[in-house]
Amino acid sequence: MVRLYAHRGAAAELPENTLPAFARALELGADAIETDAHLTADGQVVLSHDATGKRMAGVARAISECTLEEIWRWDAGKNHRPRSSAPPASAHGPFRVPSLAEALVEFPQTPFNVDVKDPSPRMIAAILDVVRRAGAEERVLLASFETQTLQAIRGAGYRGPTGLAQGEVAKLALLPGPFARRLKLEGQRAQVPVSAYGLRLDKRGFLERCHRRGLAVDFWTIDDPAQAKRLVELGADGIMTDDPALVAPALGKKRG
């Protein structure tokens, strides 16, 4: 079954990476939540794409310099601009930056795809602790653009799935067949854009190369239903979208 990820939740409608955005995405038919993680000054893992609160909350402070209590006072919906057709956000608020721990409790059956933004050993230890305490390793895929971050996560004995780093994907896509087959790849999913650095990844050959290695392939960020359908017909295993209201029906996903 093709997996539909809500990229930062139903971000086209509600403030991204908030619990209401996650709940709305699942209501619309998403199968999984894609989100991003940073570490607070007091060692708490919170869900935010940006390293500061400036864009979403209008607070020009780094998450790493604030405690969880301070961050919970931010209005994470302050600068949100929804699609014109979206329901009023006021019906879902208030909006704040959630912790990973509370998100895993709030959605106990939902798969999460977490992009680990902070590569520090302190962050890796903290996020592994949160996921393990929740008993959620099997449903939490940890991802990063950085190979070093993923190596540290895997080296720490993480039993859950991991994505491929950018460098791992590039080698898989560009190396001649015999060399690509000898690559040591420990991740389970290649999560890629349609194109990167002039290289098209929405090609049957790339997907088949991944599938031969036992890798699933997820494409981001796809908000056009026709494009999502085309990628699935090509062999994609997952689609990440900001707009599950549009994309879910194209993939045959029913509202929850």
Side-chain angles (χ1 to χ4, degrees):
M1 183 181 73
V2 174
R3 176 176 285 185
L4 179 61
Y5 299 83
H7 184 251
R8 309 181 197 172
E13 296 188 11
L14 296 172
E16 66 182 53
N17 284 325
T18 62
L19 298 183
F22 297 161
R24 175 63 175 162
L26 297 173
E27 174 187 307
L28 291 169
D31 304 305
I33 299 296
E34 190 279 340
T35 187
D36 314 273
H38 287 273
L39 194 67
T40 66
D42 54 344
Q44 302 298 308
V45 179
V46 295
L47 303 181
S48 170
H49 176 270
D50 298 357
T52 78
K54 184 175 182 180
R55 179 172 62 89
M56 293 303 296
V59 179
R61 293 194 64 197
I63 288 172
S64 62
E65 297 173 352
C66 301
T67 65
L68 179 62
E69 185 177 349
E70 289 174 304
I71 290 168
W72 273 354
R73 291 199 292 267
W74 298 355
D75 176 4
K78 181 175 183 178
N79 294 329
H80 176 66
R81 299 293 180 267
R83 293 186 295 111
S84 58
S85 58
S90 58
H92 299 268
F95 301 99
R96 62 172 174 77
V97 178
S99 69
L100 175 59
E102 65 179 321
L104 293 177
V105 170
E106 183 75 14
F107 307 102
Q109 305 301 320
T110 301
F112 275 77
N113 191 110
V114 183
D115 186 353
V116 182
K117 295 295 188 183
D118 180 348
S120 69
R122 186 165 166 260
M123 169 58 151
I124 291 167
I127 199 167
L128 294 185
D129 182 63
V130 169
V131 175
R132 287 167 174 163
R133 283 178 179 271
E137 281 180 284
E138 291 185 1
R139 66 183 177 99
V140 176
L141 181 145
L142 296 179
S144 174
F145 286 157
E146 304 301 326
T147 303
Q148 186 175 355
T149 300
L150 290 172
Q151 287 176 338
I153 289 168
R154 296 164 187 158
Y158 186 62
R159 294 188 295 106
T162 59
L164 295 188
Q166 276 187 327
E168 293 172 314
V169 170
K171 289 176 183 178
L172 184 61
L174 294 172
L175 285 175
F179 296 98
R181 285 192 289 272
R182 290 199 290 269
L183 276 176
K184 183 180 179 182
L185 298 172
E186 298 182 59
Q188 284 72 44
R189 304 186 82 96
Q191 300 182 319
V192 298
V194 168
S195 63
Y197 306 107
L199 177 67
R200 298 291 302 199
L201 298 174
D202 58 339
K203 298 294 183 182
R204 194 173 299 277
F206 173 72
L207 274 85
E208 288 176 350
R209 178 175 283 201
C210 290
H211 289 159
R212 282 195 297 268
R213 296 294 304 267
L215 293 165
V217 182
D218 303 322
F219 284 94
W220 51 267
T221 304
I222 311 298
D223 294 333
D224 178 355
Q227 186 181 32
K229 194 171 181 179
R230 177 183 70 83
L231 291 168
V232 169
E233 291 171 350
L234 197 64
D237 302 283
I239 299 293
M240 297 187 180
T241 183
D242 288 330
D243 202 344
L246 284 180
V247 175
L251 301 186
K253 303 290 184 180
K254 296 182 180 179
R255 292 186 175 223

